[in-house]
Amino acid sequence: MTIRLVVVDDHEVIRAGVRQIVSEAGGIRIVGEAANGEQAIAVIVDQRPDVTLMDVRMPELDGLTCLGRLQSEGAGKGVIMVSGYDNPTYIARAVALGAAGYLSKSASAEHLVESIRLAAAGEALWSREELRRMTGALSTPRESMELEAPLTKREGEVLKQLAVGLSNKEIALALGISYETVKEHVQHLLRKIGVADRTQAAVWAVRQGLA
């Protein structure tokens, strides 16, 4: 049976590369492409592919937020997150959101094709090492919790940016505040929500429906 694949990446050269790889591999047919998360949702809901290759960082709607929305609509099956960044926050969010796996853009053509075939068969692609790295983050409470002191509006904004994997410098630029101010907000919100690091904070935010 031919595997039906959707490719989501904001760079045409990446999409063209995937087209070439799967055409040479055989047994995989691309049924849709998208350049951002909003386009991806429309294509995936319409096509219901067996597997989706989803870039993490994209304009308009990032890949992880897109995955969360797809899961809420029951269309998040077989989504493999793809990124050029070995970012533990991205990986933890991908695990928490039910992604089939997380691939580096430097992965070989053979590994990409094998991953697509495994995901189509319903297999998880997570290695023991990746899951071991995420154990601490994924052990954060799943249930809603009452905070001793609620997050301020600005802390909530910082948390949302942190949860999509932005660095303190990137958050400062996005919110128009200083780097030192971001560091202070991050320290405060970590203490308030009772987690040890920003990766755990990102998973907490996902589980509270905040990111």
Side-chain angles (χ1 to χ4, degrees):
M1 181 181 293
T2 299
I3 297 168
R4 302 173 71 255
L5 175 71
V6 165
V7 181
V8 184
D9 197 291
D10 57 324
H11 293 101
E12 167 60 27
V13 68
I14 298 293
R15 301 198 304 274
V18 174
R19 286 198 297 271
Q20 181 66 27
I21 289 169
V22 300
S23 69
E24 293 176 357
I28 303 170
R29 179 166 63 93
I30 294 178
V31 297
E33 296 185 18
N36 60 58
E38 292 290 357
Q39 293 176 6
I41 290 172
V43 172
I44 293 166
V45 169
D46 178 60
Q47 292 293 327
R48 299 285 172 159
D50 301 306
V51 179
T52 298
L53 292 179
M54 178 86 72
D55 190 17
V56 171
R57 298 187 73 160
M58 297 183 292
E60 297 187 34
L61 186 70
D62 70 90
L64 289 164
T65 302
C66 176
L67 173 59
R69 285 175 52 178
L70 287 169
Q71 295 290 27
S72 69
E73 296 183 26
K77 181 187 75 169
V79 177
I80 302 173
M81 303 308 302
V82 183
S83 179
Y85 301 87
D86 182 24
N87 184 321
T89 298
Y90 292 163
I91 298 171
R93 283 194 69 198
V95 175
L97 288 166
Y102 185 99
L103 290 182
S104 167
K105 287 188 176 181
S106 63
S108 68
E110 293 80 7
H111 185 48
L112 175 63
V113 170
E114 179 64 16
S115 296
I116 291 170
R117 288 176 173 154
L118 286 172
E123 300 288 339
L125 310 180
W126 301 107
S127 68
R128 288 184 179 180
E129 174 62 19
E130 286 170 327
L131 292 176
R132 186 191 65 76
R133 289 171 60 195
M134 295 303 108
T135 297
L138 296 171
S139 66
T140 56
R142 291 179 178 271
E143 296 78 16
S144 296
M145 56 180 286
E146 290 191 12
L147 304 179
E148 292 184 6
L151 299 180
T152 66
K153 179 180 178 182
R154 181 62 85 185
E155 287 168 350
E157 293 170 343
V158 169
L159 177 59
K160 287 181 180 179
Q161 299 296 321
L162 180 155
V164 298
L166 297 189
S167 67
N168 286 354
K169 183 176 180 180
E170 290 171 322
I171 295 172
L173 289 172
L175 298 181
I177 56 180
S178 73
Y179 173 82
E180 291 300 325
T181 299
V182 172
K183 283 181 62 178
E184 185 174 334
H185 284 314
V186 170
Q187 291 171 358
H188 288 170
L189 70 88
L190 291 181
R191 184 170 64 252
K192 284 183 177 180
I193 66 178
V195 298
D197 56 39
R198 47 199 304 131
T199 301
Q200 288 188 340
V203 173
W204 185 90
V206 169
R207 289 175 170 166
Q208 305 307 312
L210 302 176

